């Protein structure tokens, strides 16, 4: 087998399949061979150049002229004709947002939309996050068993995301299903039958987003980031364009909730599977922010991100042609021993955990990272205080097969309600 540039493709590169269990279960481990032997390789199954080392990935993030983000939300599996027909029927027109916009349009737009992310603006959401987590905890605290994903890990971040955006908090179950369809549509490998079903979900999500947007555009006094955008769209329609508004409406609902939901599930799984670390957090809650950061490094919720080479370029000694598509496996970079000592260890005292690439890097770096971090912190604060004796149940973790969004579909836990601290000190 040869790559499009005529280079031979190794057996490991031919075998690489991010939709199969090894990558789903542990993407960093699945790419250990690559980090060690072949840090940039062509994957015939994907049609992408895969990059696995920290320094190479950071260099790509740094240079968004050579490495365009334009394909960040492209369907990684080419859609079938039937799926395309379904999308067309819904008038599907997802295009540029921020994350997949080139310069100079991207920075011009991003600069207009920063106000919602000042530390003060974000801190204003903290009481709501805490109230939501407490309500959800109240509902289960005497029960003794729960699947934390089903009980709260998706619903709280979704509620917070909608509130942050100013989107009415309605149809939550449906939005959850739409998000899964969007993830599979963008980063998954749905079977031909699934493709049509997924396209139906995505098409309906597109229509729904348009309807919500129109409703919001008729309001004059709404509060939230989408209202900031609507206002900028009125003032500077060439910077914050009409199509941007609709595309962003759909993309951001997912970006702002799914990422945080999965990150929280990953963090609880990792911390609870290390009872000594969990006990340390319960005894010293001031360690929680550092622990959350280390979980984002060790088991991030975004594990791979994409760029397109705008010209012929050599990366790690490997030539990549113009228009070559690149999959940066950030989960692998986060386990690169050249940057992180004992990278596979979850070490809440690690001093460079924050160097992880789970939020991307450079001019497109996640705008919502501090909102995501705050939610994780509050979840951990409330749980370590109210259920320090929480234990992970024996379970096989499962994941939605896709290249980029990763977190367990369930996190089953148990505890003895008789030992709840609030029963001892009411
Ligand atoms: C961009 C991850 C939470 C809004 C990104 C990118 C990643 C990411 C990997 C692409 C970065 C790049 O290309 O360099 C995450 C993770 C989160 C999270 C892991 C949670 C743990 C959020 C939240 C919001 C948000 C809560 C919204 C409030 C955005 C936006 C961008 C972005 C607007 C585009 C920035 C740009 O292109 O300029 N995020 N995200 N994210 N994220 Fe997040």
């Amino acid at each position: 087998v040869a790559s499009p540039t005529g280079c031979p493709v190794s057996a490991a590169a031919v075998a690489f399949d991010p939709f199969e269990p090894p990558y789903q279960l542990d993407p960093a481990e699945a790419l250990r061979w690559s980090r060690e032997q072949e840090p940039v390789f062509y994957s015939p199954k994907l049609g992408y150049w895969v990059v696995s080392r920290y320094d190479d990935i950071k260099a790509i993030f740094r240079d968004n002229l050579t490495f365009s983000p334009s394909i960040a939300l492209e369907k990684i599996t080419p859609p079938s004709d039937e799926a395309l027909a379904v999308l067309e029927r819904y008038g599907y027109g997802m295009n540029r947002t921020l994350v997949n916009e080139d310069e100079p349009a991207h920075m011009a737009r991003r600069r207009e939309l920063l106000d919602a992310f000042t530390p003060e603006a974000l801190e204003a959401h903290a009481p709501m996050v805490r109230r939501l987590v407490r309500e959800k905890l109240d509902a289960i605290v005497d029960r003794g068993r729960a699947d934390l994903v089903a009980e709260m890990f998706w619903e709280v971040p979704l509620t917070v995301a909608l509130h942050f955006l100013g989107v009415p908090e309605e149809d939550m179950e449906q939005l959850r299903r739409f998000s899964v369809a969007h993830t599979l549509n963008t980063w998954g490998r749905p079977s031909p039958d699934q493709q049509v079903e997924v396209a139906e979900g995505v098409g309906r999500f597109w229509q729904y987003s348009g309807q919500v947007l129109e409703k919001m555009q008729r309001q004059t006094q709404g509060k939230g980031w989408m209202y900031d955008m609507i206002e900028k769209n009125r003032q500077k329609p060439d910077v914050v364009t009409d199509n941007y508004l609709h595309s962003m409406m759909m993309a951001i609902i997912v970006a702002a909730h799914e990422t945080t939901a999965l990150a929280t599930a990953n963090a609880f799984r990792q911390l609870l599977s290390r009872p000594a670390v969990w006990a340390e957090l319960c005894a010293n809650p001031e360690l929680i922010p550092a622990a959350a950061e280390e979980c984002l490094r060790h088991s991030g919720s975004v594990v791979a991100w994409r760029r397109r080479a705008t010209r012929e370029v050599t990366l790690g000694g490997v030539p990549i042609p113009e228009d070559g598509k690149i999959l940066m496996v950030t989960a692998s970079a986060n386990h690169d021993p050249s940057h992180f000592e004992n990278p596979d260890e979850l070490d809440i005292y690690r001093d460079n955990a924050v160097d992880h690439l789970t939020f991307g890097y450079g001019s497109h770096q996640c705008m919502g990272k501090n909102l995501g971090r705050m939610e994780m912190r509050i979840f951990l604060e409330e749980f370590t205080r109210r259920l320090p004796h929480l234990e992970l149940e024996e379970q096989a973790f499962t994941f939605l097969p896709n290249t980029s969004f990763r977190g367990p579909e369930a996190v089953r836990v148990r505890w003895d309600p008789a030992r709840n601290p609030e029963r001892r000190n009411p």
Side-chain angles (χ1 to χ4, degrees):
V1 186
S3 79
T5 49
C7 298
V9 179
S10 69
V14 170
F16 176 70
D17 187 338
F19 308 105
E20 289 290 323
Y23 181 95
Q24 292 307 309
L25 294 174
D26 190 343
E29 188 56 36
L31 280 154
R32 180 185 296 276
W33 66 273
S34 163
R35 280 194 302 285
E36 289 173 357
Q37 298 155 32
E38 202 185 344
V40 179
F41 66 90
Y42 181 74
S43 159
K45 280 195 182 139
L46 270 184
Y48 276 68
W49 273 265
V50 178
V51 186
S52 60
R53 279 191 190 159
Y54 186 89
D55 288 343
D56 290 335
I57 293 181
K58 208 160 183 178
I60 296 173
F61 271 126
R62 249 191 212 115
D63 180 356
N64 60 11
L65 298 180
T66 308
F67 301 103
S68 158
S70 57
I71 61 167
L73 301 179
E74 192 174 287
K75 295 182 209 1
I76 202 161
T77 297
S80 63
D81 289 346
E82 290 89 338
L84 280 178
V86 170
L87 291 174
E88 202 165 318
R89 185 152 50 71
Y90 283 101
Y92 180 69
M94 167 66 104
N95 200 336
R96 299 306 175 90
T97 59
L98 282 166
V99 83
N100 59 353
E101 182 64 279
D102 284 309
E103 301 307 340
H106 161 259
M107 261 308 169
R109 196 174 291 156
R110 180 166 166 138
R111 261 197 299 271
E112 295 293 336
L113 300 171
L114 286 171
D115 292 353
F117 297 95
T118 61
E120 306 78 58
L122 290 179
E123 208 39 51
H125 296 287
M128 176 195 50
V129 177
R130 197 172 296 279
R131 176 176 57 74
L132 290 170
V133 174
R134 284 189 176 166
E135 280 170 13
K136 290 290 176 193
L137 256 169
D138 288 342
I140 63 162
V141 75
D142 289 323
R143 207 188 284 168
R145 289 184 93 159
D147 165 11
L148 297 179
V149 175
E151 294 294 342
M152 65 185 89
F153 284 171
W154 70 265
E155 200 181 321
V156 171
L158 179 54
T159 311
V160 174
L162 297 179
H163 191 265
F164 174 81
L165 297 170
V167 173
E169 285 150 48
E170 294 159 5
D171 313 317
M172 305 270 280
E173 289 282 350
Q174 196 184 12
L175 278 177
R176 166 82 175 148
R177 283 194 299 276
F178 283 165
S179 297
V180 171
H182 174 69
T183 301
L184 281 177
N185 182 53
T186 312
W187 296 283
R189 178 135 299 177
S191 67
D193 287 350
Q194 258 183 328
Q195 281 225 13
V196 171
E197 198 189 311
V198 163
E200 285 284 344
V202 170
R204 283 171 42 225
F205 192 7
W206 177 255
Q207 281 199 337
Y208 177 92
S209 311
Q211 286 156 7
V212 174
L213 180 61
E214 276 172 30
K215 201 157 111 188
M216 290 172 73
Q217 282 175 314
R218 286 195 298 269
Q219 295 245 348
T220 44
Q221 302 219 314
K223 269 213 176 97
W225 197 37
M226 279 307 301
Y227 283 106
D228 297 358
M229 294 184 200
I230 289 168
E231 185 52 34
K232 295 283 177 183
N233 170 255
R234 287 195 186 108
Q235 294 167 5
K236 300 185 180 178
D238 50 331
V239 178
V240 178
T241 62
D242 290 345
N243 180 273
Y244 164 81
L245 276 189
H246 192 169
S247 295
M248 189 62 169
M249 184 68 166
M250 178 168 154
I252 194 64
I253 289 176
V254 178
H257 108 259
E258 196 74 7
T259 49
T260 310
L262 297 172
T264 306
N266 285 329
F268 272 76
R269 175 197 173 185
Q270 294 303 333
L271 293 168
L272 289 172
S273 64
R274 294 167 177 80
V277 178
W278 179 259
E280 215 173 335
L281 290 187
C282 294
N284 304 297
E286 69 279 4
L287 295 173
I288 285 174
E293 205 64 38
E294 172 66 350
C295 288
L296 283 164
R297 180 198 69 83
H298 183 279
S299 282
S301 50
V302 175
V303 295
W305 210 245
R306 289 179 284 167
R307 291 291 187 260
R308 179 182 60 86
T310 57
R311 59 174 172 85
E312 206 184 303
V313 60
T314 301
L315 197 68
V318 175
I320 295 179
E322 182 176 345
D323 276 338
K325 294 178 177 185
I326 297 169
L327 184 76
M328 304 174 279
V329 184
T330 44
S332 170
N334 289 346
H335 285 251
D336 185 338
S338 76
H339 197 87
F340 299 104
E341 209 175 309
N342 296 327
D344 302 330
E345 203 174 297
L346 187 94
D347 174 5
I348 62 175
Y349 295 100
R350 188 183 292 281
D351 58 15
N352 67 347
V354 70
D355 290 353
H356 69 73
L357 300 176
T358 301
F359 291 122
Y361 181 77
S363 57
H364 284 270
Q365 196 185 43
C366 180
M367 290 172 85
K369 61 184 182 178
N370 291 331
L371 183 57
R373 282 170 170 147
M374 180 220 288
E375 293 183 57
M376 292 174 74
R377 169 172 66 76
I378 292 176
F379 267 120
L380 286 167
E381 284 171 359
E382 292 298 315
F383 270 87
T384 49
R385 189 168 61 80
R386 294 184 69 183
L387 293 176
H389 47 311
L390 199 63
E391 285 175 17
L392 211 50
E393 298 242 33
E394 197 73 37
Q395 63 201 295
F397 292 101
T398 59
F399 302 86
L400 188 72
N402 77 95
T403 55
S404 296
F405 279 37
R406 178 174 186 277
E409 290 173 306
V411 175
R412 293 195 187 82
V413 292
R414 61 166 181 264
W415 66 96
D416 177 3
R419 287 175 53 212
N420 290 1
E422 60 208 40
R423 287 207 184 172
R424 278 183 275 126
N425 319 300

